[in-house]
Amino acid sequence: RAFPNWDWDLADRLTEDFRVPKKTRIKKMSRGQRSAVGVIIGLASRTEITFFDEPYTGLDAVARQLFYDRLLEDSAVHPRTLLLSSHLIDEIAHLVENVVVIDRGKILLHEPVEQLRDRAVTLVGRQEAVAEIAGSREVLHQEQMGRITRTTVLGALTQAEVQRVRELDLDLVPVSLQQLIVRLTTRQAASGDPDAATAGTHTDPQEVTR
């Protein structure tokens, strides 16, 4: 009665998928089983807006992937707004359309994930060659082993720069969503400038919106 869009068929199927014992009282369930109950309610209720607050707590990798698969399947057939709060950033990156990063109650970032992915790139190779491509770009992170440097810089490369990367025999490595958030978070902490958020800074925890 509380959820007019409730789907018992979906709830029953998810109960089987997650192997939730039907005759066990919730307070006597394991942590993972209680998380699975929350996932079942969140999906089967099909509310206009559903908020999942780190729903994977206690779930193993197989159960977490099952949740992601079922979430995508059902939202494709029954579109609605799903907000997913998570620290497993790379694990849910394929689900995400928009990213919101919150620190101590303040929104530091809110933008489409594809736009965010273009923020940085990692260059790997000889130090002088990497320095040529990096130019005046802001360096988010740098590691060095002998003459080989691994440098993450802020800003996408132009086509001409990509061609020059090939000529210099450098490796161009995409920056994962998690790496980018970690690097920009470190940058934010080092600067101590709350206004830097407008340039795309991040901190922990992350709330990701689909």
Side-chain angles (χ1 to χ4, degrees):
R1 288 194 293 267
F3 301 112
N5 296 325
W6 180 266
D7 188 316
W8 272 117
D9 289 338
L10 176 60
D12 288 338
R13 181 163 71 94
L14 292 173
T15 298
E16 294 296 328
D17 288 344
F18 286 101
R19 299 179 183 178
V20 175
K22 296 181 179 180
K23 296 184 179 180
T24 302
R25 299 173 76 85
I26 291 178
K27 65 180 181 180
K28 292 186 177 181
M29 288 182 178
S30 68
R31 192 177 188 184
Q33 289 170 340
R34 289 196 299 270
S35 291
V37 170
V39 165
I40 293 167
I41 294 172
L43 292 177
S45 62
R46 288 184 177 150
T47 56
E48 251 183 81
I49 300 175
T50 303
F51 186 91
F52 289 104
D53 186 8
E54 300 196 45
Y56 49 75
T57 304
L59 298 179
D60 60 23
V62 174
R64 293 199 305 272
Q65 187 59 53
L66 180 61
F67 164 56
Y68 304 145
D69 291 345
R70 296 295 179 264
L71 183 149
L72 284 176
E73 288 173 9
D74 199 62
S75 62
V77 179
H78 301 276
R80 64 242 198 220
T81 300
L82 299 167
L83 293 96
L84 177 59
S85 172
S86 177
H87 290 85
L88 303 179
I89 305 168
D90 279 346
E91 192 169 286
I92 66 166
H94 67 293
L95 303 172
V96 177
E97 291 177 353
N98 295 283
V99 175
V100 180
V101 181
I102 300 175
D103 176 36
R104 288 167 287 189
K106 293 184 178 180
I107 295 177
L108 299 185
L109 177 72
H110 182 195
E111 66 180 72
V113 69
E114 290 307 318
Q115 182 177 320
L116 183 59
R117 289 184 193 279
D118 292 336
R119 287 288 186 91
V121 67
T122 296
L123 302 161
V124 183
R126 293 175 293 106
Q127 183 176 359
E128 59 273 19
V130 169
E132 177 184 329
I133 300 300
S136 60
R137 287 182 172 85
E138 180 178 350
V139 175
L140 295 179
H141 183 72
Q142 190 168 53
E143 300 172 356
Q144 192 161 341
M145 182 175 291
R147 290 175 57 82
I148 300 300
T149 298
R150 184 184 181 94
T151 303
T152 301
V153 295
L154 199 61
L157 302 184
T158 65
Q159 287 299 318
E161 287 173 324
V162 171
Q163 178 58 38
R164 184 59 177 155
V165 163
R166 298 193 189 101
E167 294 170 358
L168 293 172
D169 197 27
L170 295 175
D171 289 328
L172 198 59
V173 182
V175 181
S176 73
L177 191 58
Q178 178 159 308
Q179 288 176 325
L180 183 56
I181 288 176
V182 169
R183 299 308 179 204
L184 290 174
T185 298
T186 305
R187 169 178 176 261
Q188 164 82 354
S191 70
D193 179 10
D195 293 332
T198 57
T201 53
H202 306 68
T203 192
D204 194 80
Q206 293 80 36
E207 290 188 0
V208 185
T209 309
R210 177 172 173 76

